[in-house]
Amino acid sequence: TLREGLQAVLSQSAYVNVYPDARAAEALERMKRPRGAPLEPQVARELCQREGIRALLTGSIRRRGSVHRMTVQLVQPNTGAVVLSESEQFDAPEKLFGSVDALTRRLRERLGESLSRIEGSSVPLEQATTSSLEALRLYSSARRASRAGDQKSAATLLEQGIAIDATFALAHARLADAHAVDGDRDRAIEAYAQAYGLSRDVSA
């Protein structure tokens, strides 16, 4: 869920290019890695070096009592050196959204993006994705299933997320992708139309 949140917010930046999941999957296939396998740090660094990606962003959430601590690190792929690190704490799961926004804003600033550009292009995570943490969790699970090639499970999870938040444009778009890959053209077109109609508040 942290991965999907970070990706959605960072993709708003014209200063940072987020490497597309589809291209990463293709690169992993060329590396003879099984589809859907966890992207371990060493494998991720190798992928970055092969594809000419200049930096690897890693993230984690750890919990102690009621406090969650979210940490992201920017890693130099060739050496494994940590270039920068940012952390944010929150005391309830529903506060994840605001914490991702705050952490990503600081990360973009430290990468050299101007405050005016950050302010001009930033859409809050709740607005760019969904205000429902459960819907975002289902979306994250669907993305994992899709990366593993299980489009039917991905579609089911996305439909469950949309049932919670019918305005979740990204979920409609990914549902369309899942139907398209599965060969269901009519349902794909319908889901794409839903996503397009809801996309005015989505910046990625």
Side-chain angles (χ1 to χ4, degrees), residues 106-178:
R106 293 201 307 274
L107 181 62
R108 289 172 64 178
E109 187 177 356
R110 289 189 64 185
L111 286 170
E113 191 168 359
S114 69
L115 287 175
S116 61
R117 290 181 67 172
I118 294 171
E119 291 171 358
S121 64
S122 293
V123 176
L125 178 59
E126 284 191 27
Q127 190 175 338
T129 56
T130 173
S131 60
S132 167
L133 180 58
E134 182 58 24
L136 189 60
R137 283 174 174 157
L138 288 164
Y139 177 84
S140 178
S141 297
R143 298 286 281 150
R144 282 199 303 275
S146 180
R147 286 190 288 268
D150 187 354
Q151 303 305 327
K152 290 188 182 300
S153 293
T156 298
L157 290 162
L158 289 165
E159 287 166 352
Q160 291 172 1
I162 290 168
I164 295 171
D165 181 2
T167 67
F168 192 174
L170 279 175
H172 284 283
R174 299 309 179 200
L175 179 59
D177 292 342

Side-chain angles (χ1 to χ4, degrees), residues 28-92:
L28 287 169
E29 285 184 6
R30 292 194 294 272
M31 293 165 62
K32 309 301 183 186
R33 300 286 176 177
R35 294 190 69 177
L39 194 58
E40 302 294 343
Q42 186 58 44
V43 176
R45 284 178 54 198
E46 181 183 346
L47 187 154
C48 289
Q49 292 175 63
R50 283 171 171 262
E51 299 301 303
I53 301 169
R54 295 174 60 188
L56 170 67
L57 187 68
T58 67
S60 64
I61 293 182
R62 286 180 168 74
R63 175 176 154 183
R64 178 172 293 179
S66 62
V67 176
H68 298 72
R69 184 176 182 83
M70 174 172 56
T71 301
V72 296
Q73 294 182 325
L74 199 70
V75 177
Q76 210 286 330
N78 292 331
T79 65
V82 176
V83 178
L84 62 85
S85 180
E86 285 287 347
S87 296
E88 186 78 15
Q89 290 189 174
F90 54 100
D91 57 10

